[in-house]
Each structure stands twice: as structure tokens, then as C-alpha cells.
Amino acid sequence: MLKQPIYYEFNLDARTSPSKLIAISHVDDKYSEVLEVAVKQNDRFVYMGGATVIARMVLHRDKDYLLSDDVACTVNANGNILIPFDNAVVKTSQGVVKIEVNITRDTDELTLQFPLWVSVTGSILDNAEVTPESEGTIPDLLKGAADALEDATEALDRLGSYNNLEDKPQINGVTLSGNKTSGALRVVGWKTAEIDNCVEDGVLYSTSINNQAAYVLVRNITTDITQYAFFSDGRVMWRTRQAETAWHPAGEWSEWEEIGGSEIASGVVNQNGTISFYDADGNLLFTTTGTSVIGPQGAPGNDYVLTAQDKADIADIVLQELPTTQGVLYGNSSD
């Protein structure tokens, strides 16, 4: 670290905010700006060893703008709190940064009753005007851009029209002409990462799952991270885990679950009126339950379906019509 921590004593007995500017940093600073806060009460130092500490930071201008509500802090050997506040932990800009400190140890929790104030200065380059005599990286880039623009303008003047250009540039085999959408150009932006590191909210990743290439879309909220995986064979799967916060560590990933399941290839109406569905390999997927799908009995005709009572009635009629043997009708107990 290029700069030593800036020491400050915070009094828990204070009843009004000291409104004191503790430190001044620069927007370019990284891994350089740290506050060392010694907490006191009754003129005695309060040892913070074993505590978990986070800092909440807002940028104060015309109003407060949240920078981060979860900046991890540490406790040194003296029991003082070390709070980093530069670009290594928060992306800040010129202005006053207010820092609120939250401390937990076991079941105890304490937030310092007043925020700490630091100032961040901007670069002198922010409002500097580049002239032809300016030198350095930025002027060189601007001059290069101006030269490229001039060359492009001259080329277009010679060409007359973009439509006259032969061998027009292409993206994914699509010629650049007219107003092309990203969909028409088949342009998709993504990041590449190992599957367990695909955690940034709203980002599409190109990754591998069990040695199979896949695209993964991530939904990362405060408490949970969910990954949705898309495979080239059309399968869609998902899994989730508990996100890491200041209150609990990250959880384990759940097992991958397929969305949609197997496709139905055929269905068979069973004798009891239910239907059984099968996949392309002949595996039974499921059978319907409840009321028969055959429906209610219709009017007599070629498609009439006999009920059990129908069959019993027909049997009785047949028995009445059969010839007798020794004067006894079949089905009767006497003559």
C-alpha cells in the first residue's frame, strides 16, 4: 500500500455529529485509501476483535447516491476497524462520501450513530481543453481519431455512396447495409467463465456443464443466485444456491433440473377410458386419472358402447328365448 491508514477516533458518547472531514482522496486511487477507526466510550477504547464489520457508502452531492451497502472491513491487531474507501472497493467520483459503519459480533449488533465524512477530488483533466500543442496519451488518441475521421471523410467523398462500395463488410455472414438489428446480424454478447463463477446478474455466459457447451443466463438477487442453462440440443435446465451476504456464507448449488421434461410421442386410450402417454422410446410418461375420457353413453347406433347393465339385460333376453329341456327354461328355477 502506497499510503498509511488514516487514523480517527470515534466517540460512542457523542450526541451531535462532528461533521468533520476525515480524509481526502483522488478518483484514481486504488488500494491506497483506508480509514483506521478506533471506537471509544467513557474515554476508553472499545476492542473490536472478533467482530464482523461492513461499511455503507453514499456519494453526497445535490442528494445522496448509493455507492455500496456492503463494503467489507477488517479489524487489526489493535482492535481498530480498517475501512477501505477508494476505487478498489467502490466506483466513486468527485464529491463527498458519507460512510456508515455496521458492527456485529455473535448476537450483538451496533451501527455507529453518525457517518464518517471523506472527500474525493476529481482529475485536473476532467475540464481541460485539448489544443494542437497538447501532448500525452489523451491528445494522441484524440489526434488519431481526428486523422481517422478525416481519412474516412475523404474516402466517402471519393466513393460517392456506400452503395457503390464493393466487398461491403459483413458480420456473421450478413452484409452491412441499411439499418440492421442485432438480431438480424445474429450478434449476441456474452462473457466466458467457469460455470460456478457465472454469478453476475443479467449476464449471458458461454460456459461448459458436464463437458457440454451451454449458454447460461444468471439471475442474482440479494439472497439467491439462479442459473438458467441452454444447450444446443434444445434442453433447458436450472439450478440455484443461496447468495453470500454479510449475514451468511454462500450456500451449495442445487442439482440441475430440466425444464419441460421429455416430449410426448404417442397416446393410447385404455379400456377404462384413461389415456397413457409415451415418449419416442416407448417409455410410459404418465396416465390420466379421474373421469373417463370416453364420455357419456350416446344414442344407440353402430358406435354404441355397452354398459355392464346393458350386457346383463341382453343376457336375460337371450335366456328367455332359448328352447326348453324337460320344461325348464334356462335361468329359471321352476317350470
Side-chain angles (χ1 to χ4, degrees):
M1 181 177 291
L2 297 174
K3 186 177 179 180
Q4 293 298 314
I6 300 167
Y7 182 81
Y8 179 74
E9 294 182 359
F10 188 95
N11 187 3
L12 291 177
D13 295 324
R15 297 183 179 180
T16 59
S17 174
S19 300
K20 178 181 178 182
L21 192 64
I22 300 174
I24 300 177
S25 67
H26 192 279
V27 291
D28 293 343
D29 292 350
K30 287 184 179 180
Y31 303 104
S32 298
E33 301 292 350
V34 176
L35 297 179
E36 180 179 355
V37 179
V39 180
K40 298 179 65 177
Q41 186 177 27
N42 298 328
D43 292 326
R44 296 181 179 180
F45 289 102
V46 180
Y47 182 73
M48 292 296 172
T52 298
V53 185
I54 63 168
R56 305 154 181 165
M57 302 185 184
V58 298
L59 179 65
H60 179 71
R61 286 180 172 171
D62 56 320
K63 58 182 179 180
D64 289 342
Y65 298 91
L66 177 64
L67 297 175
S68 176
D69 63 356
D70 191 19
V71 175
C73 307
T74 57
V75 178
N76 64 14
N78 296 324
N80 297 334
I81 300 169
L82 300 179
I83 308 172
F85 63 94
D86 58 22
N87 265 318
V89 292
V90 290
K91 182 63 177 178
T92 187
S93 56
Q94 184 176 357
V96 173
V97 176
K98 296 193 292 186
I99 304 174
E100 185 175 70
V101 181
N102 177 264
I103 307 162
T104 57
R105 182 165 54 198
D106 298 327
T107 59
D108 299 335
E109 182 172 359
L110 172 69
T111 297
L112 300 188
Q113 68 268 36
F114 301 114
L116 311 175
W117 293 65
V118 299
S119 177
V120 180
T121 62
S123 172
I124 60 174
L125 299 177
D126 291 344
N127 300 314
E129 185 174 336
V130 177
T131 69
E133 292 77 25
S134 298
E135 298 181 359
T137 303
I138 294 177
D140 287 346
L141 291 174
L142 292 176
K143 289 175 183 177
D147 292 342
L149 179 60
E150 183 178 352
D151 292 342
T153 302
E154 292 178 357
L156 288 174
D157 289 340
R158 292 192 301 268
L159 183 63
S161 171
Y162 178 79
N163 293 330
N164 297 332
L165 179 64
E166 296 180 359
D167 298 326
K168 294 182 178 66
Q170 295 182 342
I171 294 180
N172 292 332
V174 179
T175 300
L176 298 183
S177 62
N179 184 18
K180 299 292 186 184
T181 65
S182 59
L185 297 174
R186 301 193 290 276
V187 175
V188 178
W190 63 77
K191 290 186 177 181
T192 301
E194 296 292 331
I195 182 60
D196 287 345
N197 297 327
C198 299
V199 295
E200 189 174 347
D201 184 48
V203 172
L204 180 66
Y205 290 90
S206 176
T207 186
S208 176
I209 302 174
N210 297 329
N211 297 321
Q212 291 183 295
Y215 288 106
V216 171
L217 183 64
V218 177
R219 177 59 175 154
N220 188 336
I221 60 177
T222 303
T223 57
D224 299 285
I225 303 173
T226 304
Q227 295 175 332
Y228 298 93
F230 304 87
F231 296 87
S232 59
D233 59 5
R235 290 180 298 129
V236 181
M237 305 184 75
W238 72 283
R239 68 173 184 172
T240 187
R241 74 168 170 84
Q242 179 177 282
E244 181 179 4
T245 68
W247 301 274
H248 52 67
E252 297 293 330
W253 285 107
S254 65
E255 296 295 327
W256 284 103
E257 295 186 40
E258 189 164 347
I259 300 176
S262 302
E263 294 185 0
I264 297 173
S266 62
V268 176
V269 178
N270 302 312
Q271 198 169 22
N272 64 356
T274 60
I275 302 178
S276 295
F277 293 94
Y278 299 85
D279 61 18
D281 296 325
N283 299 313
L284 174 64
L285 299 178
F286 64 92
T287 298
T288 61
T289 59
T291 306
S292 168
V293 298
I294 293 176
Q297 177 177 307
N302 294 333
D303 296 328
Y304 183 83
V305 179
L306 295 177
T307 66
Q309 185 61 50
D310 291 336
K311 295 175 182 178
D313 292 342
I314 294 172
D316 289 340
I317 294 172
V318 171
L319 288 174
Q320 294 295 331
E321 296 297 327
L322 288 175
T324 61
T325 300
Q326 297 179 351
V328 178
L329 290 175
Y330 288 103
N332 295 330
S333 57
S334 61
D335 56 8

